[in-house]
Amino acid sequence: MSNVLLKVNGLKKYFPIRQGMLNTQVGDVKAVDDVSFEVFEGETLGIVGESGCGKSTTGRLLMRLLEPTDGAIEFDGKMISELSNSEMRKARRDIQMIFQDPYASLNPRHSIGKILEEPLIVHGMGNAKERKKKVLELLEIVGLNEYHAKRYPHQFSGGQRQRIGIARALMTNPRLIIADEPVSALDVSIQAQVLNLLQSLQKELKLTYIFISHDLGVVRHISNRVGVMYLGRMVELTASEDLYAEPLHPYTQALLSSVPVPDPTFEREQIIITGDIPSASNPPSGCAFHTRCPFKKDVCSQVIPKLQEVKPGHSVACHLYEAIQH
Ligand code: SF4
């Protein structure tokens, strides 16, 4: 087993809800609630769930783009949840992020060359000549050309812009990349190209990925292990092939039963979940999934199920996971 590169323990992010003239706090939105997991060096950990489940907030907390309410984040033996702002700026050299919409984060008035050079300037890396060389090297690595350095963001297609977003994330030679819905805004044909690029970069540059997506099909394609989130909590975490072959949590089972299977001889029982995802400002008691779960019993609304390892490397947070396996 590889080294643990990132260790997350009891991570929480509560956003206060304020009301009235005095701006009094009347509650919290529990966007991320007691999430723990590890990421091994060189792997891709997928994080999936419906919108509002806390997966993107988790990604931002790991980068400290948002401050955690509680919990510990340890990267390569260093407690990054305790670093000062200036220490954290330095640490971001090793942890970079790729966003869903790179266009929104590419300054339209700057050339691609300038955009790519910026992280090197921020981190004090190299002189002007070395920085230019690195820009051209990265453009080539992501499948663009030298002349693209002089162009501006609006002159590129969606797929090319995501390649620029990837090149920018790689400029500082990071070890961990957090990719937040990196292909969701792209056409399906382009999605495959960008996913293949991410996979070949991972091998070539020995990168570790956290790949956040609402799309189980995409996550399956790229991940070694997958964590499923529901309403701010991790409800299942296991190797990708186990999750797809033998999902233990009813929510995972329901998500998977709506994903088409390439093998026509394989039949998965259809589990329909009804109702909308409840509000994170007023989550259901006990297991947050109990309002939609077809298997719920009394205990489900009373006790929060803990994420626990029930088979080697396979963790689930469900009181009745054994009883509901077919
Ligand atoms: Fe369903 Fe109960 Fe398991 Fe929650 S704990 S997923 S409500 S069976």
Side-chain angles (χ1 to χ4, degrees):
M1 181 70 78
S2 324
N3 292 334
V4 174
L5 184 63
L6 183 82
K7 196 169 179 175
V8 177
N9 202 358
L11 190 64
K12 292 183 184 174
K13 181 62 186 177
Y14 295 177
F15 294 102
I17 308 168
R18 297 185 187 280
Q19 257 177 20
M21 301 274 285
L22 299 174
N23 213 15
T24 316
Q25 185 174 345
V26 292
D28 289 299
V29 173
K30 296 178 174 172
V32 175
D33 200 7
D34 202 7
V35 165
S36 302
F37 60 89
E38 292 175 338
V39 185
F40 298 102
E41 189 139 36
E43 77 162 339
T44 298
L45 174 72
I47 300 184
V48 284
E50 293 166 285
S51 84
C53 71
K55 57 192 189 306
S56 292
T57 306
T58 301
R60 281 168 169 73
L61 290 169
L62 301 181
M63 285 285 286
R64 293 258 314 265
L65 297 176
L66 287 171
E67 283 304 317
T69 306
D70 200 2
I73 306 166
E74 189 180 332
F75 174 79
D76 198 24
K78 209 187 288 169
M79 275 295 174
I80 59 170
S81 44
E82 289 168 13
L83 297 182
S84 67
N85 286 344
S86 66
E87 287 169 328
M88 190 59 218
R89 264 196 295 280
K90 276 189 217 138
R92 287 203 189 100
R93 209 176 130 156
D94 287 328
I95 311 173
Q96 288 284 326
M97 204 154 178
I98 300 171
F99 298 94
Q100 175 176 357
D101 178 9
Y103 194 52
S105 62
L106 301 177
N107 188 330
R109 289 193 305 269
H110 287 175
S111 68
I112 298 309
K114 192 164 179 192
I115 288 170
L116 293 183
E117 190 185 6
E118 199 191 343
L120 298 181
I121 295 173
V122 168
H123 290 284
M125 296 169 75
N127 58 33
K129 199 174 157 202
E130 287 161 343
R131 291 198 299 265
K132 186 167 179 222
K133 190 169 164 239
K134 181 87 181 171
V135 167
L136 300 183
E137 188 187 307
L138 256 304
L139 280 172
E140 195 191 325
I141 284 180
V142 299
L144 294 171
N145 292 308
E146 213 175 302
Y147 63 82
H148 286 132
K150 295 201 169 59
R151 299 206 173 159
Y152 289 80
H154 72 272
Q155 297 175 288
F156 292 89
S157 67
Q160 286 174 319
R161 276 183 213 141
Q162 195 50 293
R163 286 173 190 270
I164 295 164
I166 293 169
R168 184 177 53 179
L170 294 175
M171 288 304 289
T172 58
N173 305 325
R175 296 172 65 194
L176 175 66
I177 300 272
I178 300 168
D180 187 5
E181 301 273 10
V183 297
S184 310
L186 304 175
D187 291 346
V188 174
S189 59
I190 310 292
Q191 282 189 0
Q193 291 173 16
V194 172
L195 291 173
N196 290 340
L197 172 66
L198 285 170
Q199 281 181 312
S200 64
L201 290 171
Q202 181 171 40
K203 272 199 209 113
E204 205 175 315
L205 305 173
K206 303 200 176 3
L207 296 166
T208 304
Y209 290 151
I210 294 179
F211 193 97
I212 297 167
S213 176
H214 68 284
D215 185 336
L216 269 163
V218 168
V219 166
R220 174 182 205 168
H221 182 80
I222 197 157
S223 308
N224 303 96
R225 292 188 306 137
V226 178
V228 180
M229 286 188 72
Y230 185 78
L231 222 57
R233 290 178 180 268
M234 190 78 85
V235 295
E236 187 157 4
L237 176 63
T238 187
S240 187
E241 60 270 26
D242 288 348
L243 189 88
Y244 290 88
E246 197 191 357
L248 297 181
H249 196 282
Y251 177 60
T252 317
Q253 292 170 359
L255 281 182
L256 279 170
S257 66
S258 58
V259 174
V261 186
D263 176 0
T265 61
F266 182 87
E267 266 192 44
R268 205 189 282 286
E269 191 179 337
Q270 187 84 16
I271 297 176
I272 311 281
I273 41 173
T274 51
D276 292 331
I277 188 163
S279 162
S281 62
N282 187 18
S285 60
C287 171
F289 189 56
H290 85 258
T291 52
R292 301 168 85 190
C293 180
F295 307 107
K296 71 159 186 261
K297 294 258 187 306
D298 288 350
V299 63
C300 302
S301 58
Q302 291 156 10
V303 182
I304 298 175
K306 288 228 169 304
L307 184 72
Q308 51 182 335
E309 190 169 2
V310 296
K311 295 182 180 188
H314 196 155
S315 302
V316 65
C318 170
H319 296 303
L320 307 172
Y321 78 92
E322 273 175 314
I324 60 181
Q325 299 316 309
H326 312 288

